[in-house]
Amino acid sequence: MIVQNGTCYTLHTAHTSYQLAAGPGGMLLHTYYGPRLPDGAPNLADSRPPHGDPGCWTDLLPKEFSAPGTADNRTAPCLPEYADGSEAADLLFVSARMQKGKPALPGLPMFRDGDGVETLCVTLRDEFGLEVELRYTVYEAEELITRSAVYKNAGEKPLTLHKAASLCLDFAPGCYDLITLNGTWAAERTPERAPLRCGVQSVGSARGVPGHAHNPAAILCAPDATETAGECWGFAFVYSGNFLIEAERCDAGERLVIGIHPYHFHWTLAPGESFAAPEAAMVYADGGLGQMSRRFHNAIRTRLLPPRWQDMQAPRPVLLNSWEAFYFDFDEERLVQLAAAAQKAGIDLFVLDDGWFKGRSDTSSSLGDWAEDEAKLPDGLPGLCRRVGELGLDLGLWVEPEAVSPDSDLYRAHPDWAFAVPGRRPLEIRRQYTLDFSRPEVVDAVWQQLERVLRSCPIRYLKWDMNRSLADVYSAALPAARQGEVYHRYVLGVYELQRRVTETFPDLLLENCAGGGARFDCGMLYYSPQIWCSDNTDARARLLIQYGTSLIYPGCVMGAHYSAVPNHCTGHLSTMEARMAAALFGTFGFELDLTGYSEEELAALRPYVAWYKAHGGLVRGGELYRLANPDVSALGAAWMVAAPDGSEAAVFAVGDALGGAHGPASLNSLPRLPLRGLDAAALYADEAGERYTGAQLMAAGLPLPGARGQTPACIWYLRRVDAHMDE
Ligand code: GLA
C-alpha cells in the first residue's frame, strides 16, 4: 500500500514501511525504512538543520537520491556531465504519481508485475536538464520493495551519464555490519561480515558478468543481528553484468549505492532521450538474517522466476549431467550406456554437456558452430534423443552462446563479431573470445543456430554457459563516443537471446551457468529458474557455497549435483549421505560416471531419487531455517525446510553438526539439534515412526546419532500427525 500525505509518501508492505518526503526547497529526503508504521503515522521528515549554516547541513541530511557538485559530497548514485563540461546537478522534487502495477524497464528483467503490485514514480529535476524518475514498486505480501531509476535529458543540449545507479539509500547514523558474498572459482559466494568502517567499502565487477569474486547482493544489519533476531536490510541487484555496490560511512550517517559499475560506462543522451537503469530489490526484516532470507526466497520464487516454473509442487526432473562423467571423451554408445545406468537409478533427464558439436574435443575449438559432431553423434541429436527416449529419459543440452573459438567457422566468417580493440591482439581466455552481443545481427545469427538445434528434436533442458570474463570490450559497430554503452548493450543482448529462447520454447527448462557460479543473480533468474551454483561439487565445499548463496537466493534455484569421490575438484572424500544432503539443498541431480556401477550400487541411489520425488515440493517451496552454519564450523552444517503451515519438514545435518567427534567432550555428550519453524502444539513423526512434539523438537531438539567418519550426514523427514496436541 502506498499512502500519500502532502509530499510525504509511505510505502507499506505487510510488516515493513519505507518513507520519503520532499523537504525544504524540494530536497527529497529519505525518512524511514523499518518495521511497519501504524496507518496514519505522521510524516517522519525531519529536515531540521543540525546547526546554523545551510550550506553545510544539506550535505548531512538523509537524501533519497543525489548528484554531486552542489551540496551533497557523499558517494553519488549519478554522475552527469553537461555539454558545457560542468558536472554539478541539484536534483529537486518536481512531482510524484502512483499507479497500479509497474512500468516495464525496456529490455531488462525485473520482479514481475501482477496482482497487488503498486508503484510510486517520483520525478526529480536539475535546472540544467537532467531528470531522474525514481520508481518504487511495493509487493505487500512478499515484504519486497523494488527500485529503479530512469534518467532523462529534459534539457536542450546533449548530456552524458558517467554513472547511473539504481538505488541510493541513506541510513540514520548508527553502527551496521556489512555482509557481502565473495569468493573465487569453485568457492563462490562465501559470506563475509564486518562492521562498516568510516569511508567507502565496495564490491563490484568490471568483468562483464558479476563474476566469481563478488555477488551483486549485500546486507546491512545491526551488529548484534543473528540468524534469529535483529534488524537486517537485504539488497539484490537484478542485473547480470558489471555492477558496483558501495557502502559509505561518513559524518552524516551511512549510505548504500547500487548500480551498474561506472568503469567504461558513459551514455550520452540527446535532448529527450532516456536511460533506464536496472532494478534493485530490497527487503527489511527485524527477525534476523533467517527471516530476511526467507522473505527474499519467497519473493524470488513467486515474483521473479519464470511463471512456468513458479509452482514449486510441480515435479522437476532429476537430471544426470555428462560433464564430470566423461568431460570431452564420449561417443553416442558411451552416452547411451550412461543414460541406461541413469535410468536404473531412477533419473529422468540426461544432459549432454560440452563437446557435442562440430570438431569439439577439447577447449581449443568450435564454440560458435552449433551443429552436431558427426564423428561422435552419427545420427545427430535426433538419433541420440531417440535412443535416450527409448530408455524413458528426456534429453538436455549444453551451449555457450556468447562464446566463439578462434578456430571455428563462425569466427573465420565474421572475425569482427568478436570483441577486439582495433590494433590490439584480443585476449584469449579458456582459448575463446566473446561475441559482441551489443550487435543485434550477432544475437540474430546465434539465435538462428540455437533455434535450429532446439527444433531438431525434443530438447527439454538447456544449460547456458558463459566461461570467461569479458576483455577487449569494443564494438566494431559503434563510434568512439559510444563505446561506453557496449558493456550494458552486451547484457541487453544476452537478455534478448534468453527471452527468445524461453518465449519460443516455453516448456524448456533453462539453467544458467558461468564457469560454475559467476553469473548467479536475479537478472538470470528472470529467465531461468535455476543456475549452476559452482563447479565445485564437493559436499563440504558446496555446503559453504550454498549457505552463502542462501542468504539471498532460495535453494530451488541452486543447481546442485551428487558427484564422485574423491571429488574431481578438491580430492576430498565424503559419505554418500553427505553428498546427497548437499545436492538435496538445491535442484538435485547427478554428475558422475555411473557406467561402472553394479546393479546394487545403482539400486542404492534409487531411494534418494524417490525421496526427492516425494518431498521435492517441500524442499523447493518450503521455508529455509539455517540451524548450524558452515562458516562457523567448516566441518559441518545443518539446515531444515519447513512447510509454511508447519505440516511437514525436512532436516539435514552434515559433519560436526551431527555432534561430531572432535574432542572427548563431544564424544561424551548426547547431541541434539534444535529445530525451527514447526507447529509447537503439534505432534510429528519421523520416517522411522518416532514421535515428538513440535515444542520438544524446537526447544530440546532432534536427537542426533553422533555419527563419525568422513563427513557423516543425516536426512530426516518429519510429518505432522496431530495438529492439536493442546486441545
Ligand atoms: C563450465 C561449466 C561446467 C561445464 C564446463 C564445460 O566450466 O561450469 O559445468 O559445463 O564449462 O566446458
Side-chain angles (χ1 to χ4, degrees):
M1 185 170 52
I2 302 173
V3 177
Q4 180 182 1
N5 178 5
T7 54
C8 174
Y9 301 86
T10 311
L11 284 51
H12 295 293
T13 70
H15 295 96
T16 75
S17 297
Y18 184 103
Q19 195 184 62
L20 53 145
M27 239 189 299
L28 188 63
L29 301 173
H30 173 70
T31 56
Y32 184 77
Y33 189 22
R36 184 170 167 135
L37 299 168
D39 291 345
N43 179 347
L44 290 176
D46 184 355
S47 53
R48 284 170 300 166
H51 49 76
D53 181 348
C56 289
W57 58 257
T58 50
D59 198 13
L60 300 173
L61 294 173
K63 296 240 186 83
E64 200 49 40
F65 212 76
S66 73
T70 54
D72 196 330
N73 295 305
R74 289 166 285 189
T75 299
C78 73
L79 298 175
E81 182 191 345
Y82 287 108
D84 64 1
S86 68
E87 297 195 2
D90 195 9
L91 292 166
L92 299 176
F93 178 83
V94 176
S95 62
R97 68 186 157 84
M98 292 178 279
Q99 66 164 87
K100 291 234 170 308
K102 73 191 289 194
L105 292 170
L108 284 165
M110 61 180 194
F111 279 80
R112 291 170 199 275
D113 199 356
D115 289 348
V117 173
E118 277 180 285
T119 302
L120 170 71
C121 301
V122 180
T123 301
L124 306 179
R125 187 179 298 147
D126 173 58
E127 58 179 324
F128 278 30
L130 174 62
E131 208 171 85
V132 183
E133 183 178 274
L134 302 177
R135 294 180 182 170
Y136 303 81
T137 299
V138 182
Y139 296 81
E140 194 160 341
E142 291 80 7
E143 314 286 4
L144 176 80
I145 298 175
T146 61
R147 292 184 55 172
S148 59
V150 179
Y151 295 79
K152 183 173 175 191
N153 182 358
E156 281 160 12
K157 293 187 177 155
L159 77 82
T160 299
L161 296 167
H162 294 281
K163 182 179 185 184
S166 304
L167 174 149
C168 172
L169 185 55
D170 282 354
F171 288 76
C175 291
Y176 301 90
D177 282 0
L178 173 67
I179 303 176
T180 51
L181 307 176
N182 310 304
T184 183
W185 175 77
E188 298 90 338
R189 292 175 301 288
T190 304
E192 283 184 41
R193 175 173 178 167
L196 193 57
R197 289 175 285 106
C198 284
V200 180
Q201 286 108 81
S202 70
V203 290
S205 167
R207 301 171 180 207
V209 294
H212 298 99
H214 305 293
N215 190 260
I219 299 161
L220 276 182
C221 63
D224 59 356
T226 63
E227 275 296 321
T228 53
E231 289 196 283
C232 308
W233 293 261
F235 303 88
F237 196 27
V238 189
Y239 192 58
S240 313
N242 289 347
F243 74 96
L244 185 62
I245 298 178
E246 297 161 286
E248 178 174 13
R249 181 170 186 191
C250 66
D251 51 350
E254 281 71 21
R255 170 172 286 186
L256 190 80
V257 174
I258 298 180
I260 293 178
H261 199 298
Y263 165 68
H264 207 337
F265 175 88
H266 46 94
W267 202 287
T268 299
L269 298 175
E273 280 184 350
S274 297
F275 175 80
E279 183 170 271
M282 325 186 281
V283 159
Y284 167 80
D286 54 9
L289 292 162
Q291 186 187 57
M292 184 216 66
S293 299
R294 287 187 290 280
R295 289 180 174 176
F296 251 118
H297 296 174
N298 185 39
I300 288 172
R301 282 189 296 238
T302 59
R303 297 291 195 170
L304 180 62
L305 297 187
R308 164 71 177 81
W309 302 102
Q310 281 182 6
D311 179 1
M312 294 296 144
Q313 301 307 318
R316 283 283 182 93
V318 175
L319 68 83
L320 178 131
N321 180 295
S322 68
W323 181 243
E324 286 191 27
F326 295 155
Y327 297 100
F328 292 106
D329 183 16
F330 60 81
D331 57 18
E332 184 178 304
E333 288 316 311
R334 283 197 88 194
L335 295 175
V336 171
Q337 281 166 22
L338 184 57
Q343 187 261 340
K344 288 184 183 158
I347 291 164
D348 311 299
L349 174 68
F350 179 74
V351 178
L352 174 52
D353 208 278
D354 198 353
W356 59 268
F357 44 98
K358 231 163 67 185
R360 176 84 162 171
S361 53
D362 54 35
T363 54
S364 68
S365 76
S366 310
L367 292 166
D369 297 343
W370 303 110
E372 299 93 323
D373 187 316
E374 284 170 12
K376 289 181 184 166
L377 299 171
D379 296 317
L381 288 168
L384 177 68
C385 190
R386 194 174 51 249
R387 291 186 66 188
V388 167
E390 282 162 9
L391 292 164
L393 275 73
D394 285 329
L395 183 67
L397 201 62
W398 176 99
V399 287
E400 192 175 349
E402 299 148 77
V404 67
S405 304
D407 179 6
S408 67
D409 293 344
L410 186 71
Y411 187 73
R412 279 182 284 273
H414 300 282
D416 65 316
W417 282 7
F419 281 132
V421 175
R424 190 189 294 275
R425 193 178 138 74
L427 178 71
E428 279 184 35
I429 302 180
R430 215 185 187 229
R431 305 171 85 176
Q432 64 196 58
Y433 298 142
T434 310
L435 289 170
D436 177 359
F437 265 37
S438 75
R439 296 173 68 170
E441 69 274 30
V442 176
V443 173
D444 286 346
V446 177
W447 165 237
Q448 279 160 20
Q449 292 200 54
L450 289 187
E451 190 185 17
R452 191 200 61 77
V453 169
L454 292 172
R455 288 202 192 284
S456 69
C457 57
I459 291 166
R460 304 285 183 211
Y461 162 106
L462 192 70
K463 177 174 169 188
W464 177 309
D465 208 341
M466 198 313 185
N467 272 317
R468 58 162 288 178
S469 306
L470 304 194
D472 308 289
V473 171
Y474 186 96
S475 178
L478 285 176
R482 293 187 59 195
Q483 293 299 324
E485 301 175 14
V486 178
Y487 270 108
H488 180 59
R489 289 196 182 279
Y490 175 87
V491 179
L492 294 178
V494 172
Y495 290 149
E496 168 58 16
L497 192 53
Q498 297 215 351
R499 184 192 68 74
R500 286 189 206 179
V501 167
T502 51
E503 283 184 12
T504 310
F505 301 97
D507 290 332
L508 183 80
L509 175 56
L510 181 67
E511 176 157 355
N512 268 289
C513 170
R519 201 156 59 182
F520 204 112
D521 60 74
C522 285
M524 290 283 98
L525 289 174
Y526 179 84
Y527 301 95
S528 70
Q530 55 198 57
I531 303 176
W532 184 229
C533 217
S534 174
D535 279 343
N536 190 340
T537 56
D538 170 40
R540 272 194 281 157
R542 261 306 178 113
L543 288 179
L544 184 55
I545 295 167
Q546 293 172 183
Y547 153 63
T549 307
S550 81
L551 283 169
I552 300 289
Y553 309 96
C556 66
V557 308
M558 300 180 204
H561 297 168
Y562 176 89
S563 65
V565 282
N567 183 268
H568 290 197
C569 211
T570 63
H572 286 159
L573 298 172
S574 49
T575 58
M576 177 175 183
E577 197 84 348
R579 286 177 282 149
M580 288 293 183
L584 283 164
F585 196 127
T587 55
F588 193 62
F590 291 78
E591 183 147 347
L592 74 171
D593 184 2
L594 296 177
T595 57
Y597 270 44
S598 66
E599 294 291 329
E600 292 72 36
E601 286 170 323
L602 291 172
L605 302 175
R606 290 189 81 101
Y608 294 96
V609 176
W611 191 96
Y612 184 71
K613 289 190 174 166
H615 308 309
L618 166 68
V619 171
R620 290 187 293 273
E623 307 259 356
L624 176 74
Y625 294 86
R626 293 177 292 253
L627 305 175
N629 289 335
D631 59 343
V632 179
S633 158
L635 299 173
W639 68 101
M640 64 179 286
V641 183
D645 65 357
S647 59
E648 54 177 349
V651 184
F652 305 82
V654 181
D656 268 8
L658 279 171
H662 296 275
S666 56
L667 276 178
N668 284 336
S669 62
L670 289 172
R672 282 174 174 269
L673 183 65
L675 306 186
R676 293 184 208 136
L678 300 177
D679 176 353
L683 187 68
Y684 290 87
D686 67 17
E687 281 172 300
E690 211 60 56
R691 291 178 171 226
Y692 317 87
T693 66
Q696 275 174 327
L697 289 169
M698 291 194 286
L702 185 69
L704 297 174
R708 289 192 283 170
Q710 286 284 2
T711 323
C714 281
I715 302 169
W716 295 265
Y717 172 73
L718 299 165
R719 180 181 291 283
R720 184 169 61 192
V721 288
D722 180 355
H724 304 288
M725 287 292 293
D726 54 348
E727 284 179 7

